[in-house]
Amino acid sequence: MPEGHTIHRLAERHRDVFAGDAVRAWSPQGRFASGAAAIDGAVLVDTAAHGKHLFYDFGGDRFLHVHLGLIGTFRTFRHDPPEPTPTTRLALGNDSAAAYLTGPMTCRLVTHPEADEVLGGLGPDPLRDGMRGRVAFRANLRRRSLPIGSALLDQRIVAGIGNVYRAEILFLCGIDPRVPANAVTQDDADRLWETMVLQLRHGRRIGRIVTVEPAEVGARYRTTIPPEDRLYVYHRDGLPCRHCGAEIRRFDLGGRSIWFCPVEQVR
DNA sequence: TCAGTATGGGTAG
DNA sequence: TACCCCTACTGAT
């Protein structure tokens, strides 16, 4: 589930598990054999996440840069890790844990300047920048006329939002996905930013995307809400809006599907 | 066993 | 805009 909350959670988990230790690294699949060999046995200094990008500092100007893409996964095992599957691009391990990376879009070693180049192309990250990031976000919207639904997926405008969060956040803010970014009012831009910060923090904490309020689906805890009750609009075309009962609609925006409520999202 | 799908993004035209 | 890559899972055949 690689939106920003997943990436930040991985950075924290892998810092907890591996930082300060010499880490074994190998590539069962073989496609990252030389890169893995270059960090095998090195001490992991720290990890960092920015948007959907993950960085592992192995010292000596060696940074592992990972982007999961659409289908990448990083599975972490604290005790008795199984053998990695043959498709595992990179395996990391110490005496007590292992992490197996499959299907990433990016898995490479970079230098500090190369990492900075990646970071320089990213907009503010709700999980890194918190409420401070709203000024940059607001300015980024003002400069663009593309639909706000496309803008939220543009990592240069805001880093870490994916297709689930963009639909859910626009619903929570009552904003029509087709409105031009530079026509979004300052109040709405601030509301969008605040909603992204709160929702991504919640997603990072519980490890999944749950935007509905428990009271709306009769659940006591947000983490125990069944999958079909976790979201307001994403993949709910044809179903009634949880707020007004109108039929949720789907259309293509920026080459990807977006779902919205035609009654609740009118600004 | 195969086709379809997925929370992403780069490149060619 | 179309197409491509990466992997795992689901449902149809």
Side-chain angles (χ1 to χ4, degrees):
Chain A
M1 299 183 188
E3 296 197 29
H5 67 300
T6 304
I7 307 308
H8 280 264
R9 196 175 164 88
L10 280 171
E12 290 174 2
R13 187 100 197 270
H14 290 172
R15 181 187 301 119
D16 287 347
V17 169
F18 296 124
D21 282 356
V23 177
R24 296 190 305 277
W26 70 107
S27 177
Q29 181 197 46
R31 287 185 54 182
F32 191 59
S34 63
I39 53 173
D40 186 29
V43 172
L44 177 66
V45 179
D46 201 3
T47 64
H50 196 133
K52 299 171 186 172
H53 295 261
L54 256 176
F55 292 93
Y56 297 75
D57 179 1
F58 282 99
D61 204 23
R62 290 171 298 177
F63 294 84
L64 172 66
H65 173 211
V66 171
H67 190 299
L68 294 179
L70 182 61
I71 61 175
T73 57
F74 222 148
R75 292 184 177 86
T76 310
F77 303 91
R78 288 302 288 257
H79 306 288
D80 303 319
E83 285 298 305
T85 61
T87 56
T88 303
R89 182 81 54 89
L90 170 66
L92 299 173
N94 61 10
D95 289 343
S96 60
Y100 300 148
L101 173 66
T102 59
M105 188 176 74
T106 302
C107 174
R108 60 175 187 150
L109 286 184
V110 296
T111 62
H112 201 299
E114 289 169 332
D116 277 347
E117 195 177 332
V118 174
L119 299 179
L122 297 174
D125 175 347
L127 287 176
R128 279 184 80 90
D129 302 313
M131 295 309 172
R132 295 192 316 272
R134 73 175 182 195
V135 178
F137 174 65
R138 210 192 282 157
N140 287 345
L141 292 189
R142 268 202 305 270
R143 288 198 298 272
R144 274 114 165 158
S145 58
L146 80 174
I148 184 66
S150 299
L152 294 188
L153 280 188
D154 187 331
Q155 303 299 300
R156 296 168 297 185
I157 294 175
V158 50
I161 300 299
N163 209 24
V164 179
Y165 273 127
R166 78 152 168 174
E168 294 296 309
I169 282 159
L170 286 169
F171 174 84
L172 288 167
C173 294
I175 295 173
D176 187 326
R178 298 162 292 194
V179 169
N182 56 10
V184 171
T185 65
Q186 184 167 310
D187 278 355
D188 276 343
D190 288 348
R191 194 190 325 272
L192 281 169
W193 184 261
E194 183 181 347
T195 305
M196 290 189 282
V197 170
L198 295 177
Q199 289 297 328
L200 266 75
R201 281 180 182 167
H202 182 64
R204 176 177 59 183
R205 185 154 51 83
I206 67 173
R208 57 174 63 102
I209 303 176
V210 178
T211 57
V212 293
E213 289 300 323
E216 296 194 47
V217 289
R220 288 184 63 193
Y221 304 107
R222 276 175 118 178
T223 49
T224 58
I225 296 171
E228 64 272 20
D229 285 338
R230 290 175 186 165
L231 305 172
Y232 284 108
V233 289
Y234 180 79
H235 262 308
R236 298 194 74 243
D237 44 313
L239 294 173
C241 172
R242 298 189 195 279
H243 283 176
C244 71
E247 189 176 302
I248 299 299
R249 303 234 180 102
R250 184 200 73 83
F251 66 98
D252 281 353
L253 190 58
R256 309 193 63 194
S257 291
I258 188 165
W259 293 261
F260 81 115
C261 172
V263 173
E264 300 281 324
Q265 295 175 249
V266 291
R267 290 208 304 287

